[in-house]
Amino acid sequence: MSTFADALQPWREPCATHVTHAIYARHGEVLERFGPAGRQHCRLDILRHLDYLAVAVEVNDSTPFVQYVLWLQDVLGGRGVPLAHLVFSLELIAGFLTENLPDEAGARLQSVVDAGTACLAAPQAKALARYGLTRLPELPQTSRYQQSILQGNRSRAQASVIEAMDAGATLPQACVQIIQPALYEVGNLWQRNRITVAQEHLASAISQNVLVGAYLKASFLEPNGQSAVFACVEGNHHGLGLRMLSDAFETRGWDAAYLGTDVPTKDLLQDIDSRRPQLLALSASLPQHLSSVRQTVEALRAELGSACPTIWVGGLATLSAPGLWRYTQADGWSSDALHALEQL
Ligand code: B12
């Protein structure tokens, strides 16, 4: 199947070169302080804009791009880059691509870019800049947990979760109603330049540890004879959420194989072929991963035919807009680990 990304492919690099050149021609004096590496970063940023644009055009929903633009507004604003630079680069991208892509593809792209630039002026759209809104209320231990992971206090973080479990929370509840909202907030703080990358890494490393401690305290149903494989698609390095899902399935008696992050499609195929699970859970965090999920689903069905397991998709990338997950052609979707258990 020929996609918008296919049409865009030959124009990606020329577009990045053209736009970088034009940005430096306009804002050169301001940008020279970043040295030669500045141009390279600028190019990479343009290529990243193109990734988000391509997904929005492809899924036929501008939300992933609108959300990205609002996120960029926070990221750049928090780091002192004028918003005018972003608007200018989006205009340049749209100008270059509408000139070079076939008319229909160019028009679809232009409407997504227009939605992105329009949202910058709309203050009510601000809420969309936050990646990951939670469906369920937080448990009372969440703010202590969040403080602890930001301060690097692993034992206090662990104690908050154990306290919630002692008070009756199940492992999936502790995950979805404490650790998940705390990590979403960590992302928001990083986005607004309130915490460093190192703090964010520490917070996620501690959370991985806490998950192990919580798992050891959890109650499990007897094995139910069902098995599932859990994998982050190629390119997705966010594994914590999927780990929570895998552990949640185990508490219900499933035999769960968690393959982790960035699983190469060909190796996943082999694994599924030999394990033959009832369910495959694929996780997508950035919008670009939705395309990877779709390609993985297509490859699995083509290769395994009727032996292909039921495939569910989930993850942050699917949470931006209702029904976005359907683009992936998976059989099912859940918003979080507790929602998934409700659907078993
Ligand atoms: C920790 C973290 C990382 C860690 C991940 C470590 C790890 N081992 O997992 C590392 C450092 C690797 C990382 C890297 C990056 N990250 Co990051 N990261 C985060 C952070 C702070 C937390 C992620 C997390 O664990 N969330 C908590 C879990 C529990 O939530 P969840 O993933 O949504 O999972 C739940 C549901 O979605 C669902 N679910 C998940 N998978 C599935 C699957 C199925 C089948 C089902 C049914 C359900 C389901 O169930 C889970 C449990 O309830 C997020 C912030 C955020 N909002 O999530 C940013 C965030 C996702 N990252 C972000 C970015 C930008 C990046 C990088 C590009 C940074 C960079 N410059 O390199 C890279 C990209 C890496 C890549 N290619 O994937 C941005 C993305 C924004 C955007 N524009 O799209 C975010 C949103 C931060 C922010 N607010 O700016 N990141």
Side-chain angles (χ1 to χ4, degrees):
M1 188 190 59
S2 156
T3 62
F4 177 81
D6 295 332
L8 179 64
Q9 187 54 36
W11 297 108
R12 281 172 56 84
E13 295 292 334
C15 179
T17 306
H18 167 81
V19 174
T20 305
H21 207 72
I23 290 175
Y24 267 77
R26 159 96 57 111
H27 298 292
E29 333 72 75
V30 190
L31 298 172
E32 284 317 331
R33 71 188 153 113
F34 298 115
R39 273 182 193 263
Q40 192 51 24
H41 283 134
C42 185
R43 275 193 112 251
L44 292 175
D45 282 348
I46 304 304
L47 289 170
R48 187 174 280 181
H49 297 349
L50 293 178
D51 287 340
Y52 282 84
L53 252 171
V55 174
V57 174
E58 200 139 325
V59 299
N60 212 7
D61 183 335
S62 56
T63 316
F65 186 68
V66 167
Q67 193 171 30
Y68 171 66
V69 168
L70 293 166
W71 172 81
L72 272 177
Q73 183 179 25
D74 265 0
V75 171
L76 299 177
R79 290 153 181 88
V81 180
L83 189 59
H85 289 204
L86 172 62
V87 176
F88 182 52
S89 61
L90 296 180
E91 279 168 13
L92 289 167
I93 289 174
F96 181 88
L97 290 176
T98 47
E99 208 152 277
N100 289 295
L101 289 174
D103 287 352
E104 199 250 324
R108 284 165 64 200
L109 173 121
Q110 181 71 60
S111 81
V112 171
V113 173
D114 288 347
T117 36
C119 77
L120 288 171
Q124 70 275 20
K126 197 78 182 139
L128 200 60
R130 296 166 67 83
Y131 275 97
L133 296 172
T134 36
R135 185 178 65 98
L136 297 167
E138 294 171 1
L139 295 182
Q141 293 79 9
T142 305
S143 70
R144 182 150 55 95
Y145 181 79
Q146 192 190 308
Q147 266 176 14
S148 311
I149 57 175
L150 286 174
Q151 289 162 356
N153 191 335
R154 176 173 149 189
S155 57
R156 190 158 170 259
Q158 182 79 66
S160 318
V161 166
I162 298 301
E163 179 190 288
M165 291 176 81
D166 283 340
T170 62
L171 171 66
Q173 283 169 335
C175 288
V176 175
Q177 295 177 272
I178 300 178
I179 306 176
Q180 180 170 327
L183 283 169
Y184 282 175
E185 189 50 24
V186 166
N188 287 322
L189 292 171
W190 172 81
Q191 173 177 333
R192 284 180 272 133
N193 204 20
R194 303 268 176 84
I195 60 167
T196 62
V197 170
Q199 275 178 295
E200 179 268 313
H201 278 34
L202 181 58
S204 70
I206 292 177
S207 296
Q208 270 168 4
N209 263 290
V210 169
L211 276 180
V212 177
Y215 177 91
L216 295 174
K217 215 183 147 47
S219 327
F220 295 85
L221 296 183
E222 288 299 311
N224 64 12
Q226 309 238 65
S227 66
V229 169
F230 299 80
C232 289
V233 285
E234 254 181 73
N236 184 8
H237 294 266
H238 300 87
L240 272 160
L242 192 71
R243 170 97 259 176
M244 292 179 186
L245 187 76
S246 166
D247 290 353
F249 269 64
E250 273 197 54
T251 64
R252 291 295 179 90
W254 284 65
D255 176 14
Y258 170 75
L259 306 189
T261 62
D262 191 25
V263 181
T265 308
K266 65 171 182 17
D267 298 286
L268 178 64
L269 243 144
Q270 262 177 14
D271 189 76
I272 297 295
D273 201 16
S274 66
R275 273 183 219 275
R276 298 290 167 114
Q278 277 77 39
L279 183 81
L280 167 64
L282 294 174
S283 189
S285 298
L286 308 182
Q288 303 84 299
H289 302 153
L290 294 172
S291 307
S292 309
V293 174
R294 183 169 167 141
Q295 284 159 18
T296 307
V297 170
E298 281 170 357
L300 281 157
R301 288 192 182 136
E303 189 75 21
L304 302 175
S306 59
C308 187
T310 300
I311 304 175
W312 281 10
V313 66
L316 197 63
T318 66
L319 302 180
S320 304
L324 206 53
W325 69 273
R326 291 191 185 281
Y327 167 78
T328 65
Q329 306 206 335
D331 303 300
W333 165 85
S334 308
S335 61
D336 57 60
L338 284 169
H339 188 214
L341 294 186
E342 284 163 22
Q343 296 190 55
L344 288 180

